[in-house]
Amino acid sequence: MGAENDAFTAFSFISFAVVLIPLPWHLEVWNTGTCLYMLWTATGCFILFIDSIIWDGSTENWAPLWCDISTRLIIGVSVAIPAASLCINRRLYTIARVRTVTTTWADRRRAILIDLSIGLGIPIIVMILQYVVQGHRFDIFEDLGCRTFIYNTPLAYPLVFVPPVVLGMISAVFSALTIRAFSLRHAEFKQFMNSNNMVTFNRYIRLMVLAALDILLTVPFTAYIVYSNLTQGKVAPWISWEDTHSGFSRIDHFPAALWKKNPAAHVSLELSRWGVVISALLFFALFGFADEAMKNYRKAYGHVASRLGVTVKSASSSSFRGTPGSSSNGYVHSLSVA
């Protein structure tokens, strides 16, 4: 295993594990946008981790069924991460307008359905539509694994290449509106936070940072992919379904020595897999060490220790106390603002 691929294998597995750590307590309080973010990034990290092991130093078609499924999911992940970020930014803007926290199940259900339609529905639609411009079954890149082949035709841009850029730009607009609303109504917003123990300022800021950094990663990278396809490769005219899918069962194989010789291809392929890992590590850096996370780590440690017969001394409440008025459920309810 080469040093470059070795490093990616380690980081992708670590990212898969740590991004799921905060999932249980976010699920308990219906943090739809962040749950989608965690699940999609974990899915991407797991697939890329497996690929980096199976196809380390090889281009053999070891697992054709795995490739059929995983390549489709990777397309979904590329759209789902900016879509989940949009869900978060949209809800942050609602909170910044200092409206009343949702109290009825009907309002909360509507908010959840909107998030699911964006963070789950849009990626599924793109995964389905991607088949329209899928020139052949898939490609296998040494060290990287399976990758879907998208026929570089004008129709591919609105169906596959452009949606992540559009989602990132919409998310950026919501982020800008959130900052503006926050600055204009800072005093009212602070009063709202202080009067509602379910919404904490620190959680709100962490979400803003996550969403903003995700925009900074998503928009330039996806725009670069679009630019690279337009300038580095020949854009072929769309002729017909039969022309695009001619010889569809073909599988192309690319040794590392070949795809690494092309600087644009090398950068694009490496960014496409490291971007998912960075998204996972970014989330853990912001939420993996929060007060609610540390409380759950201690609970898990205490549970395992008790099973092993180890006595754990309970820390005083003041040792781990968070900010005044904070609670483990706070940020989630802030995301339930109608």
Side-chain angles (χ1 to χ4, degrees):
M1 181 179 288
E4 186 178 339
N5 201 46
D6 189 12
F8 179 81
T9 300
F11 275 100
S12 58
F13 179 75
I14 293 170
S15 301
F16 163 72
V18 300
V19 77
L20 291 176
I21 288 176
L23 181 62
W25 54 91
H26 284 286
L27 280 173
E28 289 177 2
V29 285
W30 299 95
N31 260 347
T32 315
T34 49
C35 286
L36 289 170
Y37 191 98
M38 285 183 276
L39 291 171
W40 278 113
T41 51
T43 298
C45 288
F46 179 75
I47 291 173
L48 296 170
F49 163 71
I50 296 297
D51 282 3
S52 69
I53 293 177
I54 295 178
W55 283 280
D56 176 51
S58 173
T59 60
E60 292 294 324
N61 187 15
W62 303 111
L65 182 59
W66 164 265
C67 287
D68 287 331
I69 297 172
S70 64
T71 52
R72 192 74 59 187
L73 286 173
I74 287 296
I75 290 293
V77 169
S78 68
V79 181
I81 293 178
S85 180
L86 173 57
C87 292
I88 296 172
N89 266 314
R90 185 186 66 85
R91 203 65 66 85
L92 290 177
Y93 172 62
T94 304
I95 300 169
R97 293 168 64 191
V98 196
R99 297 177 62 186
T100 306
V101 175
T102 299
T103 56
T104 68
W105 168 244
D107 291 335
R108 187 168 300 175
R109 181 177 60 183
R110 184 176 68 252
I112 292 172
L113 289 176
I114 292 174
D115 285 343
L116 289 176
S117 66
I118 297 172
L120 188 61
I122 293 177
I124 290 175
I125 291 173
V126 172
M127 283 191 284
I128 295 172
L129 293 177
Q130 183 268 336
Y131 183 72
V132 176
V133 290
Q134 184 177 346
H136 56 258
R137 192 172 175 185
F138 54 81
D139 295 330
I140 298 178
F141 292 84
E142 182 181 348
D143 295 339
L144 305 182
C146 314
R147 294 294 183 273
T148 190
F149 176 79
I150 300 173
Y151 188 42
N152 194 10
T153 182
L155 192 59
Y157 290 84
L159 295 184
V160 181
F161 296 135
V162 173
V165 182
V166 173
L167 289 169
M169 294 177 68
I170 296 174
S171 190
V173 171
F174 273 109
S175 182
L177 291 173
T178 299
I179 295 173
R180 180 176 180 272
F182 177 77
S183 60
L184 291 176
R185 309 178 68 180
H186 179 73
E188 186 179 356
F189 180 78
K190 188 175 182 180
Q191 184 180 2
F192 172 73
M193 287 289 191
N194 292 335
S195 64
N196 195 322
N197 291 336
M198 291 300 183
V199 185
T200 64
F201 185 77
N202 286 338
R203 294 184 183 95
Y204 187 87
I205 294 300
R206 288 200 301 271
L207 278 174
M208 287 186 65
V209 172
L210 172 68
L213 291 177
D214 187 70
I215 292 169
L216 294 176
L217 290 172
T218 297
V219 176
F221 170 65
T222 52
Y224 171 79
I225 296 296
V226 174
Y227 172 79
S228 178
N229 286 324
L230 285 171
T231 58
Q232 301 296 328
K234 180 182 177 181
V235 181
W238 171 268
I239 299 175
S240 66
W241 176 278
E242 290 75 17
D243 177 73
T244 300
H245 294 83
S246 176
F248 184 80
S249 61
R250 187 177 85 253
I251 298 172
D252 289 340
H253 306 260
F254 297 92
L258 180 61
W259 62 264
K260 288 183 178 180
K261 280 186 177 180
N262 186 330
H266 190 184
V267 171
S268 178
L269 288 168
E270 288 291 359
L271 281 177
S272 66
R273 66 173 184 168
W274 278 102
V276 181
V277 170
I278 292 171
S279 296
L281 293 176
L282 174 64
F283 183 89
F284 180 73
L286 290 170
F287 292 95
F289 302 99
D291 290 341
E292 64 270 24
M294 300 307 293
K295 291 176 183 177
N296 281 277
Y297 298 155
R298 289 191 294 274
K299 288 181 182 178
Y301 172 72
H303 178 73
V304 173
S306 64
R307 291 296 183 91
L308 297 175
V310 178
T311 302
V312 180
K313 294 182 179 180
S314 59
S316 62
S317 58
S318 60
S319 300
F320 304 106
R321 186 165 53 239
T323 57
S326 65
S327 72
S328 60
N329 295 341
Y331 140 66
V332 164
H333 285 280
S334 73
L335 286 187
S336 297
V337 177

